[in-house]
Amino acid sequence: MSFNDFWYVFYDMIYYYNVPDEWVFQRLYNSRINAEGWLQVRYHTKAAFYCEICKKNWKSARTTILFQCKFDEQQNFGKVQMKRFGQQCKDCGEGTTYYPAQYNLDQICRSLQVLFVKVLQEFYGYQIQQGGGRYRRPKTTTPPHASKYCEACHYRVCGQEEE
């Protein structure tokens, strides 16, 4: 699914959560990653990838979606920027191309729910309990994180070293 799928779900959630102010949803470009004054929300999930050169498909148990948020109380205007971090293909060598992660609709909805909980807590003062009753799958054994192929590691937003 593409950026547009995130965009549509984002605006559906604006309506669903009855967010009172105007918000825009944009792509986050590499030059703006870790910009000062922005609230960062990271979401990690599994994803699929496709190499356009060797035509290889692969899955990863850990990918990163980064949301950066800013809210102007005087203007009643908020901005969310999002980046889906990619991975390089292991079979094609250590190139410079990061292939974008492909997420299903459930993953898109879950990532945006996490974002909206943070937005409502940080910018609107809502008291929202999160995680207590959430079902989490048991941790499964996966291959070690290959940070040299991970775009989020390159920009130091993966967080793999924190876990």
Side-chain angles (χ1 to χ4, degrees), residues 11-154:
Y11 285 105
D12 281 348
M13 287 190 175
I14 288 277
Y15 177 77
Y16 176 80
Y17 286 109
N18 199 22
V19 177
D21 301 305
E22 183 179 346
W23 283 79
V24 296
F25 189 75
Q26 305 169 323
R27 291 185 203 291
L28 172 59
Y29 294 100
N30 295 345
S31 62
R32 300 285 303 153
I33 294 171
N34 295 320
E36 282 197 39
W38 291 73
L39 169 70
Q40 283 195 343
V41 179
R42 290 184 291 187
Y43 184 79
H44 304 289
T45 189
K46 60 186 175 182
F49 295 89
Y50 173 74
C51 176
E52 296 171 2
I53 296 170
C54 72
K55 311 298 184 210
K56 177 186 174 187
N57 289 298
W58 73 95
K59 292 183 180 180
S60 176
R62 181 178 179 97
T63 64
T64 302
I65 302 169
L66 177 66
F67 299 102
Q68 287 187 172
C69 315
K70 193 175 238 186
F71 183 66
D72 183 336
E73 289 185 43
Q74 277 74 39
Q75 300 289 324
N76 293 330
F77 180 78
K79 194 182 282 190
V80 173
Q81 298 177 336
M82 182 204 72
K83 179 160 177 71
R84 299 174 299 156
F85 287 93
Q87 291 183 358
Q88 293 176 334
C89 178
K90 294 177 186 176
D91 290 354
C92 290
E94 296 183 42
T96 58
T97 302
Y98 289 103
Y99 296 101
Q102 299 300 313
Y103 301 103
N104 63 38
L105 185 57
D106 184 54
Q107 293 165 314
I108 291 171
C109 290
R110 286 175 190 247
S111 69
L112 288 168
Q113 284 173 336
V114 168
L115 168 69
F116 272 92
V117 165
K118 273 294 198 198
V119 164
L120 293 171
Q121 288 173 330
E122 296 292 324
F123 299 125
Y124 295 99
Y126 286 42
Q127 301 295 316
I128 300 171
Q129 295 286 330
Q130 193 181 16
R134 257 182 45 192
Y135 170 74
R136 296 193 125 216
R137 287 182 294 157
K139 192 147 179 108
T140 57
T141 305
T142 59
H145 184 63
S147 58
K148 72 179 186 176
Y149 301 111
C150 174
E151 184 181 21
C153 283
H154 176 79

